[in-house]
Amino acid sequence: MQHRLGPALPWSEITPQRLYLARREFLAGVGATAFATLASGTALGAALTAKPGPFRADDKPTAKEAVTTYNNFYEFGVEKDEPAKNAGTLRTSPWSVVVEGACERPGSYALDDLIKPASLEERLYRHRCVEGWSMVIPWIGVPLASVLQAAGPTPGAKYVAFETLYDTAQMPGQTRRVLEWPYREGLRIDEAMHPLTLLAVGLYGETLPNQNGAPLRLVVPWKYGFKGIKSIVRIKLQDSQPRTAWNVSAPNEYGFYSNVNPDVDHPRWSQKTERRIGEFRRRDTLPFNGYGEQVAELYAGMDLRKFF
Ligand SMILES: Nc1nc2c(c(=O)[nH]1)N[C@H]1C(S)=C(S)[C@@H](COP(=O)(O)O)O[C@H]1N2
Ligand SMILES: [Mo]
């Protein structure tokens, strides 16, 4: 059974529209390629229209080619070039998401009912992978908070757990035991409700390519990239800290919080610097990936070496 959160338009069926000035100016910064793709409509997917959202990084966006071909998505192979080559087996429509647990309106929601096209925002976020590379990505999505609020969290909602699709036919990498499947992630409720936390459906003005987590993925820009779980089918509000794929596979290497922190090394390498894809010289990694002003207070009084 499909439940509705409210009146909705099928964002996935939106036809390319004229883009307004702010977006046009932004895309001038992104580069001619993205705009040409949008204008011609021969994109990876349908064009999306979104208003510019808050928290835009000053950084130059990473080339779309790199963002869509250099990925981690272990369901399609463990090499960076494999998701772009192999993710074509994923069927992203129809897609529904189970919202359950400590909320007033649990149910299975069609994606079109969960995400309203009128509420889509574009945000330019820094992305820092735990392995030491980084990118700057123009995402399109809605604040996760808006979806959780619509579900009506109850007092037991202290954490949010997320799950990726589990289907070995569509995701052949799940036949290999490199991680516990399905991929799982989680956030504390205040992190999930933070205005920076985004549920993304697109990038570079288009619906998400499969390799980037179509049709719906999480983006938490102050955390290491693996918190950004892809191809989400389940969102559960609960009172206990969720199990997460990387934390289960190597608890001493990947903590639950995974806030970007140059002062807490990974046991096998330093986190002090990063290689921004497309740049030559390494950059210093910033606390909370440069979002400390917005999020540091969430962790006031916590020992970030213990809660890494
Ligand atoms: N389901 C799933 N989500 C995932 C992963 C994965 O293997 N499976 N990899 C994570 C990691 S380690 C990173 S860095 C980002 C990379 O994808 P992106 O470049 O599209 O953000 O996705 C994250 N989400
Ligand atoms: Mo990553």
Side-chain angles (χ1 to χ4, degrees), residues 72-142:
N72 279 329
F73 199 168
Y74 277 21
E75 286 84 340
F76 299 103
V78 299
E79 301 300 331
K80 301 277 181 293
D81 61 340
E82 288 184 298
K85 287 180 186 153
N86 301 336
T89 50
L90 176 65
R91 291 191 312 273
T92 59
S93 178
W95 192 270
S96 54
V97 180
V98 172
V99 181
E100 62 179 355
C103 62
E104 284 158 7
R105 289 173 287 280
S108 174
Y109 294 93
L111 184 59
D112 289 346
D113 295 332
L114 209 60
I115 309 284
K116 319 290 190 299
S119 58
L120 291 180
E121 290 176 14
E122 185 167 66
R123 297 183 176 194
L124 189 62
Y125 277 171
R126 287 181 290 273
H127 169 106
R128 171 60 158 79
C129 177
V130 72
E131 295 168 273
W133 47 271
S134 67
M135 296 185 180
V136 180
I137 304 175
W139 298 108
I140 291 175
V142 299

Side-chain angles (χ1 to χ4, degrees), residues 31-289:
T33 326
F35 187 73
T37 318
L38 278 164
S40 70
T42 55
L44 291 154
L48 289 179
T49 305
K51 56 187 177 291
F55 310 117
R56 307 183 67 77
D58 294 332
D59 311 42
K60 189 170 155 290
T62 302
K64 181 173 131 186
E65 168 71 13
V67 172
T68 57
T69 60
Y70 189 84
N71 303 99
N72 279 329
F73 199 168
Y74 277 21
E75 286 84 340
F76 299 103
V78 299
E79 301 300 331
K80 301 277 181 293
D81 61 340
E82 288 184 298
K85 287 180 186 153
N86 301 336
T89 50
L90 176 65
R91 291 191 312 273
T92 59
S93 178
W95 192 270
S96 54
V97 180
V98 172
V99 181
E100 62 179 355
C103 62
E104 284 158 7
R105 289 173 287 280
S108 174
Y109 294 93
L111 184 59
D112 289 346
D113 295 332
L114 209 60
I115 309 284
K116 319 290 190 299
S119 58
L120 291 180
E121 290 176 14
E122 185 167 66
R123 297 183 176 194
L124 189 62
Y125 277 171
R126 287 181 290 273
H127 169 106
R128 171 60 158 79
C129 177
V130 72
E131 295 168 273
W133 47 271
S134 67
M135 296 185 180
V136 180
I137 304 175
W139 298 108
I140 291 175
V142 299
L144 172 63
S146 67
V147 170
L148 297 180
Q149 291 294 9
T154 52
K158 301 205 167 26
Y159 293 88
V160 187
F162 304 87
E163 274 181 30
T164 295
L165 176 71
Y166 179 67
D167 181 336
T168 54
Q170 294 185 62
M171 296 180 149
Q174 290 175 332
T175 58
R176 291 204 251 155
R177 295 179 175 216
V178 285
L179 286 174
E180 182 186 83
W181 308 111
Y183 196 97
R184 290 189 182 83
E185 258 308 333
L187 296 171
R188 216 170 56 189
I189 191 73
D190 57 343
E191 300 176 318
M193 291 293 191
H194 193 280
L196 274 172
T197 304
L198 199 71
L199 268 181
V201 297
L203 51 68
Y204 279 100
E206 299 162 7
T207 55
L208 285 174
N210 287 0
Q211 60 270 29
N212 290 92
L216 183 71
R217 56 89 50 85
L218 184 66
V219 182
V220 194
W222 72 94
K223 292 178 180 285
Y224 290 115
F226 64 86
K227 298 297 283 187
I229 181 172
K230 297 176 166 179
S231 307
I232 296 168
V233 294
R234 188 179 298 274
I235 300 176
K236 184 174 184 183
L237 296 137
Q238 59 188 55
D239 67 1
S240 57
Q241 184 176 300
R243 196 179 170 77
T244 74
W246 283 103
N247 186 232
V248 165
S249 86
N252 60 322
E253 299 187 22
Y254 310 104
F256 174 78
Y257 285 94
S258 299
N259 294 319
V260 173
N261 190 341
D263 297 328
V264 176
D265 290 338
H266 184 280
R268 292 184 280 134
W269 58 83
S270 163
Q271 293 291 22
K272 287 214 179 315
T273 65
E274 65 199 60
R275 184 172 64 91
R276 176 71 52 86
I277 301 298
E279 291 182 355
F280 177 69
R281 201 170 276 117
R282 288 185 78 89
R283 291 175 171 249
D284 288 340
T285 287
L286 303 171
F288 301 108
N289 204 21

